[in-house]
Amino acid sequence: MTSPRVVSLAPSATATVSALGAADLLVGVTGHCDPPDDAGRAHDRDGPPETVGGWLNPDLDRVADLDPDAVLTSDGLQADLAETCRDRGLSVSHREPADLDAVVETFAARGDDVGRPAAGERLASAARERLDRVAAAVAGRPRPTVYCEEWSDPPMVAGNWVPEAVRAAGGRYPFVDAGERSREIGLDAVAAADPDHVVVHVCGRGDRVDPATVDDRDWAVDAPTHVIDDSLLNQPSPTLIDGIERLARVFHPTAFRSADQGEEGDA
């Protein structure tokens, strides 16, 4: 059976395909994607998958030249792009999860998209098991109030699945409801909520953010600032589960201390 040729136009799709163990199917990705070293090998490529441009402005002629069996897109910002690809006769699988459950369901759906349904089901099941373990660890503990900032100029409070990610990690998030888009927020509104933690995950910046840009603001917030790689919270891929585990350890370090010490002892 011939392996499908897959072009991913979304970093989250690329990360999910990689987590499925199907990175070898990728023949094209965007410059914002981070494919593993084995990407493209199913098609005897000499190097990594071809880079076809940015995630909002890919070169669709280059995409078409790769003769893909599936083009993967994600997020409402790529909805028009997905339609444009379809208009060009490309087979597109567009996934647009808005909350945490939908993100996990997308893991299984991506397995279907690339012809690896069993791997997709396993990935979704493993994600749910990890979330269950976090939930058990933080159960019954006081929930700190958390402010998550997705953009800093102007400040934007994170929406989509981030409210649920914070709650899954044992926090309280009074700023945006799950499924709502990220939005601009006034500093007075943040201060009024009196957060116990400030989490900064600026879109596209990884963890390359100076916490002083937030700490030195003229605002009435007295809480520690945690800079987290934006892919751990902004990306609807398995890295989001990593991000939830990371947040849970920030909010409730004693809940995981025994387990972490056990892991060190086993090393």
Side-chain angles (χ1 to χ4, degrees), residues 4-99:
R5 299 173 61 84
V6 178
V7 172
S8 173
L9 299 181
S12 63
T14 301
T16 303
V17 170
S18 298
L20 290 168
D24 56 309
L25 305 180
L26 293 168
V27 296
V29 295
T30 76
H32 299 94
C33 295
D34 187 23
D37 293 339
D38 60 347
R41 288 185 181 170
H43 305 287
D44 298 323
R45 298 177 64 87
D46 294 331
E50 183 170 341
T51 299
V52 298
W55 82 287
L56 290 180
N57 57 346
D59 184 334
L60 297 186
D61 288 335
R62 294 172 70 184
V63 172
D65 287 345
L66 290 171
D67 191 25
D69 299 295
V71 175
L72 311 183
T73 57
S74 181
D75 192 88
L77 294 175
Q78 285 196 317
D80 289 344
L81 174 62
E83 284 304 312
T84 300
C85 288
R86 292 189 182 103
D87 290 342
R88 293 178 63 116
L90 298 170
S91 179
V92 180
S93 294
H94 180 74
R95 306 294 175 183
E96 198 172 317
D99 56 30

Side-chain angles (χ1 to χ4, degrees), residues 22-219:
D24 56 309
L25 305 180
L26 293 168
V27 296
V29 295
T30 76
H32 299 94
C33 295
D34 187 23
D37 293 339
D38 60 347
R41 288 185 181 170
H43 305 287
D44 298 323
R45 298 177 64 87
D46 294 331
E50 183 170 341
T51 299
V52 298
W55 82 287
L56 290 180
N57 57 346
D59 184 334
L60 297 186
D61 288 335
R62 294 172 70 184
V63 172
D65 287 345
L66 290 171
D67 191 25
D69 299 295
V71 175
L72 311 183
T73 57
S74 181
D75 192 88
L77 294 175
Q78 285 196 317
D80 289 344
L81 174 62
E83 284 304 312
T84 300
C85 288
R86 292 189 182 103
D87 290 342
R88 293 178 63 116
L90 298 170
S91 179
V92 180
S93 294
H94 180 74
R95 306 294 175 183
E96 198 172 317
D99 56 30
L100 183 56
D101 282 344
V103 170
V104 175
E105 290 168 2
T106 296
F107 302 164
R110 286 300 187 200
D112 292 335
D113 294 341
V114 300
R116 303 282 178 89
E121 291 295 342
R122 287 194 299 270
L123 185 60
S125 178
R128 294 186 183 100
E129 290 174 1
R130 291 169 65 186
L131 291 172
D132 286 345
R133 287 196 292 271
V134 172
V138 303
R141 294 175 178 268
R143 289 181 169 266
T145 299
V146 181
Y147 165 65
C148 290
E149 187 167 287
E150 184 178 305
W151 194 254
S152 297
D153 187 20
M156 293 185 68
V157 62
N160 300 308
W161 46 81
V162 171
E164 288 174 296
V166 169
R167 291 170 192 139
R172 178 176 168 270
Y173 199 76
F175 300 100
V176 178
D177 290 333
E180 292 184 0
R181 300 292 292 187
S182 304
R183 60 175 176 80
E184 189 172 343
I185 189 169
L187 298 183
D188 289 345
V190 179
D194 191 23
D196 300 292
H197 296 275
V198 173
V199 177
V200 180
H201 50 106
V202 176
C203 188
R205 294 292 304 277
D207 58 0
R208 303 179 302 278
V209 177
D210 185 351
T213 61
V214 174
D215 293 337
D216 294 346
R217 283 176 179 161
D218 183 17
W219 66 344

